Amino acid sequence: MMDSRVKKRRTLPDARKQEIREAFDLFDSDQDTFLSYYECKVAMRALGFDVKKGEVLKIIRQYKIDDKDIDKISYSDFEEVVTDWMLNRDPKEEMLKAFRLFDEDETGKISFRNLKRVARELGEDISEEELHAMIDEFDVDGDGEINEEEFLTIMLGDDI
C-alpha cells in the first residue's frame, strides 16, 4: 500500500528539458560529453542563472567523476542541478527581472520608447501602431505606460 504522504517529484516541461540539453551541447565546445568549469558557467548563464565562480566550482566538485576529472561535470549531473534550480525559481521575481530589462531608464514603467527598443533589439518587425495597441491593451491605470503590477498581470495572469 502506497503512503499518501509521498510527494510526487516535480519535473520540468519537455521544452525546458530540451533547453538544458541544447545549452549543454552548445557549450561542450570540445565535444567530450562533459562541461569544464568555463563551459558550465557559460551554459548556466545562457539558461538565465547569474552564477559566480565559487558556485560553479562547488557544483563541479560536488559531482566530480574522479580525482582526475575534478573540473568537469556530466550531462546527467548538470541536468539535475539546473532542473532543481529551475523548479525553485520564483516566477514573480523572474518576471520582475524581465521588467527591469524593459525599463532601462529605471522609471518603474515600460514606456512606448522602451517597448520599441526591446522589439528592435529582438529583431521583431512590429509597427508603432501595434506597439501602442499593446500598451493600450494592458495599461489598466490609463497613464500610457506599463507599470510592474500591469506587467506581472500580463506575464503571470492569475498566478500573482
Side-chain angles (χ1 to χ4, degrees):
M1 186 168 162
M2 186 160 215
D3 189 337
S4 62
R5 292 174 296 173
V6 175
K7 288 185 180 178
K8 183 179 179 197
R9 181 179 164 96
R10 297 183 310 156
T11 60
L12 292 173
D14 288 342
R16 299 298 297 202
K17 291 177 187 178
Q18 185 62 29
E19 259 183 79
I20 296 169
R21 179 84 239 181
E22 288 172 1
F24 185 94
D25 291 344
L26 178 65
F27 295 106
D28 179 14
S29 56
D30 56 4
Q31 303 295 301
D32 67 351
T33 68
F34 295 94
L35 294 182
S36 68
Y37 157 75
Y38 293 105
E39 293 168 336
C40 185
K41 184 175 179 180
V42 173
M44 288 178 163
R45 287 202 169 169
L47 290 167
F49 297 103
D50 185 23
V51 291
K52 306 285 185 246
K53 180 178 182 176
E55 291 174 284
V56 178
L57 289 173
K58 181 180 176 185
I59 290 164
I60 289 176
R61 288 183 182 129
Q62 180 181 348
Y63 287 96
K64 74 179 182 175
I65 300 154
D66 59 40
D67 291 334
K68 289 180 267 178
D69 287 325
I70 193 166
D71 65 339
K72 301 211 177 216
I73 188 169
S74 70
Y75 173 73
S76 61
D77 292 338
F78 177 79
E79 180 186 39
E80 180 180 317
V81 169
V82 174
T83 296
D84 286 344
W85 287 5
M86 285 181 170
L87 289 171
N88 290 318
R89 279 181 169 167
D90 176 0
K92 184 175 179 180
E93 185 54 41
E94 293 298 312
M95 289 303 109
L96 290 174
K97 284 181 191 176
F99 179 86
R100 289 188 287 277
L101 293 174
F102 280 87
D103 181 24
E104 75 171 345
D105 48 8
E106 299 180 10
T107 63
K109 297 183 179 216
I110 299 171
S111 66
F112 169 78
R113 189 181 63 74
N114 296 140
L115 193 57
K116 185 176 179 177
R117 175 190 53 84
V118 171
R120 185 179 60 247
E121 287 175 2
L122 294 174
E124 296 292 329
D125 186 24
I126 302 174
S127 72
E128 288 191 4
E129 186 176 284
E130 289 173 300
L131 293 172
H132 280 296
M134 290 168 71
I135 289 175
D136 291 344
E137 182 175 349
F138 298 105
D139 178 21
V140 176
D141 64 10
D143 67 354
E145 298 178 314
I146 304 296
N147 63 36
E148 282 185 0
E149 186 178 324
E150 292 163 339
F151 185 81
L152 289 173
T153 300
I154 297 164
M155 301 305 290
L156 299 173
D158 294 334
D159 295 340
I160 59 171

